[in-house]
Amino acid sequence: MSMNENEFRASQVGGVPPTYSHPHYQQPVAAAPVLTPPRPKKKRVAALVTAGTIAAAVIGGASGAAVVALDSGTSTGTATSATTVSSTTNTDVSAVAAKVLPSVVQVNVTTRQGEAIGSGVILTADGKILTNAHVVSDAVGDVTITLSDGTEYQASVLGADTKADIAVLQAKGASGLTAATLGDSGKVQVGEQVVAIGSPGGLQNTVTSGIVSAVDRDLSDISSGEPETPFGQTANTASDSPSYTAIQTDASINQGNSGGPLVNMNGEVIGINSALYSPSATSTGSVGIGFAIPIDDAKTIIAQIENS
């Protein structure tokens, strides 16, 4: 995988902790802040950051960084035995891409720190868009969505759930859009082939493939620390951190994939790409460990937002 989107977290004194980062990309800004290494922590931690790359190799977050404990043995992912996928399932990635690409958008966000890029999934023909809450959490004004054919719309944020890391946008004046087919994440099997689509590094319409590595991966074991971010902010890890049980995949996702779909070989959205594991704070590219919010969980949040 290519070098990732999200925030830079200075490594701990005395060691380089593994990190989680959101695959949500931020363009370079004029001046990077001076980084001060955080105080040593007593236990190893992983950063779950919420923005993208700034000024070359610096990762920062408009809304700060949340800390996830990564002591050995804390991971509770379920790596159940893989079962054979039905022979009727399509295995042609190009056919899946052709079906799903028209339903995937790039999300461009203006924040006080600069420009950020994520991805999204079209829910309705009139322009409801599903994305990650962290993609739009610090948006100033409307965001811009770009369809796979280059058509652009301005969109407002209808609502967001930061714990679930889900947001719904509404494109203004949109009609005739191609809505994605939402699948059943409860039927996802370890070992089945999947496809991820999004805008890593701002490269729209990027398609990658892999398998489901695990299901029910718990990302909610949050440390009580309050680390500094490169913007001199601290994050209240109890309140700022997304908390969900994820689908783990080795399909390559990077900065800019946040909010984009993870789909099965029938072209059905089974998850929303949201985070990736990185072995160190200074090596933030994908290493084949990505996480997606199960689409069944997202459906629940979508309904809550639409009915609120």
Side-chain angles (χ1 to χ4, degrees):
M1 295 182 179
S2 60
M3 285 300 281
N4 187 325
E5 46 165 66
N6 275 303
E7 298 183 312
F8 174 84
R9 291 191 34 86
S11 63
Q12 291 182 324
V13 175
V16 179
T19 64
Y20 283 104
S21 57
H22 286 300
H24 156 54
Y25 177 79
Q26 185 164 326
Q27 298 284 5
V29 296
V34 177
L35 302 182
T36 302
R39 295 185 299 275
K41 302 286 192 293
K42 291 184 179 180
K43 67 178 182 177
R44 302 181 68 200
V45 296
L48 188 60
V49 295
T50 55
T53 304
I54 293 181
V58 179
I59 299 176
S63 58
V67 174
V68 178
L70 202 65
D71 297 311
S72 62
T74 59
S75 177
T76 58
T78 303
T80 57
S81 298
T83 56
T84 303
V85 178
S86 170
S87 60
T88 60
T89 300
N90 174 45
T91 58
D92 184 352
V93 173
S94 64
V96 174
K99 177 180 179 179
V100 181
L101 274 167
S103 301
V104 182
V105 302
Q106 180 169 298
V107 181
N108 289 72
V109 182
T110 299
T111 75
R112 289 181 176 83
Q113 284 73 39
E115 300 294 318
I117 298 175
S119 302
V121 178
I122 297 173
L123 295 174
T124 62
D126 65 353
K128 281 191 175 62
I129 307 293
L130 173 62
T131 189
N132 284 142
H134 75 258
V135 171
V136 296
S137 62
D138 289 287
V140 177
D142 288 342
V143 304
T144 301
I145 65 163
T146 306
L147 307 186
S148 60
D149 64 3
T151 303
E152 292 186 354
Y153 292 94
Q154 294 300 298
S156 58
V157 179
L158 287 182
D161 184 322
T162 56
K163 278 294 184 183
D165 202 11
I166 290 294
V168 177
L169 314 179
Q170 176 63 62
K172 298 178 178 180
S175 63
L177 306 190
T178 303
T181 300
L182 304 186
D184 182 351
S185 55
K187 295 181 179 179
V188 173
Q189 300 173 353
V190 173
E192 74 172 272
Q193 191 173 2
V194 288
V195 174
I197 302 177
S199 297
L203 301 173
Q204 191 172 4
N205 300 331
T206 293
V207 177
T208 58
S209 66
I211 64 167
V212 172
S213 305
V215 296
D216 299 328
R217 184 68 75 186
D218 189 358
L219 303 184
S220 63
D221 186 10
I222 306 299
S223 166
S224 60
E226 292 188 350
E228 288 186 67
T229 73
F231 293 107
Q233 302 169 332
T234 58
N236 184 319
T237 59
S239 62
D240 291 353
S241 303
S243 176
Y244 54 86
T245 300
I247 298 169
Q248 182 180 325
T249 178
D250 69 353
S252 176
I253 57 174
N254 288 280
Q255 298 167 355
N257 276 113
S258 277
L262 184 71
V263 301
N264 62 22
M265 298 310 290
N266 291 320
E268 299 166 336
V269 179
I270 58 170
I272 299 300
N273 296 317
S274 58
L276 58 132
Y277 174 85
S278 188
S280 74
T282 56
S283 177
T284 56
S286 170
V287 293
I289 306 176
F291 304 99
I293 301 165
I295 196 61
D296 290 356
D297 295 344
K299 290 175 186 177
T300 300
I301 304 304
I302 293 167
Q304 292 173 355
I305 291 173
E306 290 179 338
N307 295 327
S308 62

